[in-house]
Each structure stands twice: as structure tokens, then as C-alpha cells.
Amino acid sequence: HLLDMLVDLAGAPQWCEAVVTSAGRPITKADAVEAPEGLGPIAGDAIAAMFGMADGPVAYVASVRDAGAKQPNFGLTIAGTSGAIHIRPDFVPHAYFRAAPLWRMDKDYPWQPIGPGGLDSPLPEADVDRAAERATWGRRAAVDLLAAIAEDREPETGMYAGRTTVEMTMAVYASALAGRRIDWPLENRGNPLG
């Protein structure tokens, strides 16, 4: 999940400032509808959120419903002063490296695919249908959960990562409804739309 990757790379969130809109206007509690996944109320068709992360960077997350793609489509770009990495978990190759900061536009700095062994390693077959692999993700999570119970350990994506993901999602709605930055720990740990 994208928010898990942000936390893994940049540390725990410290604050969130967000705008959530529905048909171009800011959401209100009256816009809340029950999520199809049974996760509680959700609202809006576009989200723009910034998170201040513990290790210093600011993370920007944007999502627009029905933005033209019919398949799973998300990615993470890490922009630094010496280069950038773009990660596309649902595509092969999964990541690309650019040997210059994103703001360097004066020369052509190509995106180089990162293979399983690094920049110079061979890439997996690019035309593989990943639908079968995606279908196993839920099973892999369940197998890991059962192994974690048997081994008395935290699952790969355990309760703490899950809690942080939920808190980040709730912070987006809390900030959007309040019209201001929300700091950690969250004052209201429930769903702001509920």
C-alpha cells in the first residue's frame, strides 16, 4: 500500500494538510457514503494531501476517481537532490532511476529501469500478465498472518502499519473537514465522517 511505503521510507507522519473535493467543491459530512469495501464512511472524488514525515521529508499524495485508467494504477516518486526513483508496484519493471533531480530540465536525464539486482541487472519479462500474481496477494497476506501467529511475530504488514494507514486516512478527512493542518497524535481517533 502506498501509505505503508511512505512510512517505511520517511518515518511516521507528524502532520497532515488535505483537501478532499466532490464534483470540484470541498466535502462536508453530508457527502459521506458507506465504502463498498465495508470500511466505514468515505467521501469525495479527489484527494490532495501533504504529510510531514518524521525523518524530514514532506510527502504529497493525490488521488482522482476515474482518472482514465481502468486497471490498478499508482506509484511513488522519491525526489532527492541527487536523483529520483519512481516505483510502480503493479508494473514490470517495478522501479526506475533518474540520475538527476526532477527539477533539472536542462539536459536529457533518462529514466533507467531498476532490475531485481540493481541498475545493471536484467529485467523480468515486461509483457507478463500480472492479474494472476495480483490475485495471490490476499492469499499471501493470509499465509503470512498465520505464520506470524505460529511464530509469535508481527506480520509483514502488521497491526502497527495498519493502524498508521488508518490514522493517515482519517487525518486526510479530518484536515479536509476542518480546513486546517492536523497534528499527530490525532485528537479524534474515530472516523471524522462518522
Side-chain angles (χ1 to χ4, degrees):
H1 190 271
L2 177 65
L3 297 178
D4 291 333
M5 286 193 289
L6 288 178
V7 172
D8 287 345
L9 293 167
Q14 304 298 297
W15 55 264
C16 173
E17 189 158 353
V19 174
V20 180
T21 57
S22 180
R25 63 165 178 73
I27 62 160
T28 67
K29 281 189 174 187
D31 292 308
V33 296
E34 194 63 31
E37 301 90 3
L39 300 174
I42 60 172
D45 54 22
I47 294 170
M50 289 188 305
F51 293 94
M53 308 304 281
D55 293 344
V58 173
Y60 177 75
V61 177
S63 179
V64 178
R65 182 184 301 152
D66 296 329
K70 299 298 180 201
Q71 71 279 352
N73 188 15
F74 70 95
L76 172 68
T77 301
I78 303 160
T81 57
S82 298
I85 295 175
H86 183 66
I87 302 168
R88 294 294 303 271
D90 200 40
F91 288 84
V92 175
H94 300 294
Y96 293 84
F97 172 72
R98 182 177 191 261
L102 293 178
W103 50 90
R104 288 294 309 266
M105 302 304 286
D106 56 333
K107 295 181 186 175
D108 184 24
Y109 294 97
W111 287 95
Q112 301 170 271
I114 301 172
L119 274 176
D120 295 324
S121 69
L123 295 173
E125 191 176 325
D127 293 333
V128 173
D129 180 3
R130 301 219 38 228
E133 181 183 339
R134 281 193 301 272
T136 68
W137 290 350
R139 184 176 187 280
R140 287 177 28 206
V143 167
D144 178 61
L145 175 61
L146 293 173
I149 292 168
E151 298 165 12
D152 194 27
R153 65 168 171 82
E154 180 77 6
E156 283 185 33
T157 302
M159 68 178 172
Y160 298 109
R163 178 185 67 194
T164 300
T165 298
V166 170
E167 287 176 335
M168 291 174 80
T169 303
M170 294 306 106
V172 167
Y173 285 122
S175 174
L177 291 170
R180 63 177 176 82
R181 184 174 115 167
I182 301 296
D183 292 318
W184 258 257
L186 302 180
E187 291 176 26
N188 177 356
R189 297 185 62 110
N191 189 327
L193 295 168

